Every structure is written in structure tokens, then in C-alpha cells.
Amino acid sequence: MAHFELVVIGAGAALALYLALIVFIAHRFTTPRRVMPSTPPSVPGASALQTVDFPARVDAVRLTAWYAATPAAMGAIILAHGRDACRGGELRGDTCGLVAHFVSLGFSVLLLDLRGHGSSAGARLTFGRRERRDILGAVDFLRARGYVRMGVLGASMGGVSAIGAAAHEPAIGALVTDSAFCTLHDVLVAQFRRLTRLPGWCLSGATLVASVLTGERLRHHTAEHDMTQLRGRPTLVIHSRHDPFVPVAHAQALAQAGNARLWITNGKRHLSSYTDGRAEYTRIVGEFFQAHLSTPTATIQFQVLPVSVSPGARVRSQRA
């Protein structure tokens, strides 16, 4: 009898330890590391960069952004960062030059802090499920100021959020994603042991707890279905060929699902396409938005050109 009691106590202790462990993992997994933006930079050609606040669509989470208003703008571009980043650092590097280029092309620009990041209100990470509401809130902010043509450049989780937002909002007329994942679960399976140094069997329990904490079914979170809703919408998918965090196969699957243009660079880090070749990145993304968000009478054509930082790379179309 004493032996049986010891077995029961041991099993209970093991179960309690397991539950505590997966709750801790789920909490860390869904809690962003808040990074605060620097002082708003000056952007040549735009009015002073304003700090603005507005609600997310649906749940009215309070969001903060920088707004560069360009006189007689032809449209507006929204920049959305990834996990543990903030406005101004969307591409793991200072994006002031990219913003200035968009302004020079005649666009206003909105740099957004997603929920739980920067100066926006706190919230748990849902890896695009609810963050898409933040981008939709940015669309509402811009629409209230008279914009009818809008584009989004989303990085990593911000790219997934942008895909989801565009699938629900036709006012997003052009979309660029950089280093977005196709299916969250596939990324977690590949990265869980490296990030936590724990056995893989802890992942299912942690994912379940994370879904309870967020109210979202994160295990089944995929951007591929949303991409199918964007067929016919100008979309450019960018990814580093040797991205160690989100394999390039995710970009290929997204591009195929949305019949989108695909540009694979020779970067070796997550979100390294911009920092490895700012001039070419800025030119190609600028041309893409200019071609698809300009006035209907514009004759600008988006040209497929080689990229100096990625020998042999091309922007090309994927066909399903």
C-alpha cells in the first residue's frame, strides 16, 4: 500500500511539474518582448512625422503609429513589424530610408506598432490571428483621411497579419510580405527544441495552453488559406533563401497559394533581404507599390530586374 501511494504521489508530482512547465512555455510564447521606438526621424518630402493613436478594428485595442503625410499623396503604405520589434525597425534595420523613398514616390506612410509592441496597448501574441485587426485599424485611420488606395509591407509575423487583413479588406490594393510563415505549427515543430531545449512532446500541451490563453486556435493557424483569397491582388512575397527560422519553402507555398510574385534573395538570416541590399530592396518594393497603387492613368510598369546582392535572383510569378 505504501508503495502504491508513493507511485501515486510521484505521478501526481510529475503531472504537476508537466502542467507548470507547459503553462510557463505558453506564457512566454504568447508574451511579446516590448521594444520601444526611438525618436521619430525626419522624412524629407513629408510633413513632420506625427505620432498618432487609433483603435484596432473589431476589438478596439489602442494602437500607436508614426504617420508621414505626403502632400497630394497618390496613396498610403502601411508598415507592419514582426514579433518583438516596433515601428521604425520593421526589417531588422532602420527603415527611415525606405520610408523616405516611398514619400519621394508620392505616398504617405504609416508605421504601426502592433498590439503588445512598442507604445501600443498590451496584448498576448496570436501570431497574426488578432494582429490583422491592427492593420485593419490602420486602414480605417487612413480611410478617414481620404485615402482610397493603400498598400501594406509586412515583416515576418507582420506579413502574416497583413495577409489576413488583405483577405478581409479590398481597400488593401497591393501587398508585400517579407519572411512570413505559411503555417505556424510547422515553424514551432522545427524550432521548439532549439528554442526551449525541451523534448518535442511538450509542444502539444504548450500549444493547447497558448490557445486557451489567447482564445485562438494557434495550432491550426495558417496563412495559406488567406493567400488563396488574394488571387488577382498584386502581391509580392520576399524571403531569404537560407532563413534559419522560417524555411524558404514557406514563401514558395504562400506564393503558389496566392499566385503571387516571389523574390528569393541569398540572405542567410531571418529578415535579412533588406539589410543585405537596401538599395535594390528599396527600388524593387517601391516600383511594386508605384505600379499597383498609382492612378489608373499611370503608365508605370513593374520590371523584373536582377538583384546585385542575390546573383541570379529574380522577381517571378508562381503559378498554382
Side-chain angles (χ1 to χ4, degrees), residues 64-130:
T64 303
W66 285 335
Y67 174 47
T70 303
M74 69 172 69
I77 297 172
I78 300 165
L79 271 60
H81 59 77
R83 179 183 180 180
D84 298 340
C86 64
R87 63 188 189 271
E90 292 82 3
L91 299 171
R92 299 301 185 193
D94 181 9
T95 51
C96 181
L98 184 63
V99 172
H101 183 66
F102 291 158
V103 168
S104 74
L105 295 177
F107 294 106
S108 293
V109 184
L110 188 74
L111 297 84
L112 173 66
D113 276 342
L114 296 174
R115 61 185 62 199
H117 294 80
S119 302
S120 291
R124 290 216 177 255
L125 283 168
T126 62
F127 298 88
R129 295 286 290 182
R130 294 190 179 178

Side-chain angles (χ1 to χ4, degrees), residues 59-318:
D59 54 11
V61 172
R62 203 69 193 168
L63 307 171
T64 303
W66 285 335
Y67 174 47
T70 303
M74 69 172 69
I77 297 172
I78 300 165
L79 271 60
H81 59 77
R83 179 183 180 180
D84 298 340
C86 64
R87 63 188 189 271
E90 292 82 3
L91 299 171
R92 299 301 185 193
D94 181 9
T95 51
C96 181
L98 184 63
V99 172
H101 183 66
F102 291 158
V103 168
S104 74
L105 295 177
F107 294 106
S108 293
V109 184
L110 188 74
L111 297 84
L112 173 66
D113 276 342
L114 296 174
R115 61 185 62 199
H117 294 80
S119 302
S120 291
R124 290 216 177 255
L125 283 168
T126 62
F127 298 88
R129 295 286 290 182
R130 294 190 179 178
E131 289 81 3
R132 70 183 63 185
R133 301 174 182 177
D134 304 347
I135 295 176
L136 293 172
V139 169
D140 296 339
F141 172 87
L142 292 169
R143 182 182 282 131
R145 281 149 185 79
Y147 295 97
V148 294
R149 291 184 298 276
M150 288 171 260
V152 182
L153 167 57
S156 193
M157 182 185 76
V160 177
S161 306
I163 292 168
H168 290 84
E169 179 51 76
I172 298 176
L175 173 65
V176 177
T177 70
D178 188 337
S179 305
F181 61 80
C182 182
T183 304
L184 178 61
H185 183 68
D186 290 344
V187 175
L188 294 179
V189 169
Q191 299 297 329
F192 183 78
R193 184 182 294 273
R194 182 181 70 85
L195 294 174
T196 67
R197 304 190 185 281
L198 293 171
W201 47 264
C202 290
L203 177 60
S204 295
T207 305
L208 177 61
V209 175
S211 295
V212 173
L213 291 175
T214 62
E216 297 287 348
R217 300 177 64 191
L218 299 182
R219 183 183 179 89
H220 304 286
H221 181 23
T222 175
E224 188 170 9
H225 174 72
D226 288 332
M227 279 293 288
T228 64
Q229 310 302 307
L230 300 182
R231 286 176 171 263
R233 193 96 57 96
T235 304
L236 171 61
V237 176
I238 303 173
H239 212 96
S240 300
R241 187 182 304 278
H242 305 291
D243 187 333
F245 189 74
V246 179
V248 69
H250 285 251
Q252 294 165 336
L254 288 174
Q256 183 174 14
N259 200 26
R261 296 182 185 274
L262 176 62
W263 176 26
I264 299 175
T265 72
N266 281 336
K268 294 180 172 59
R269 295 171 291 108
H270 186 58
L271 281 174
S272 63
S273 298
Y274 175 68
T275 53
D276 285 353
R278 294 176 189 243
E280 292 297 326
Y281 189 105
T282 298
R283 178 184 59 78
I284 286 178
V285 173
E287 286 179 355
F288 181 82
F289 281 130
Q290 191 176 27
H292 298 296
L293 295 178
S294 57
T295 58
T297 57
T299 58
I300 299 168
Q301 297 296 320
F302 177 70
Q303 297 181 346
V304 178
L305 298 173
V307 180
S308 59
V309 296
S310 307
R314 297 292 189 274
V315 180
R316 56 190 173 85
S317 295
Q318 283 279 351

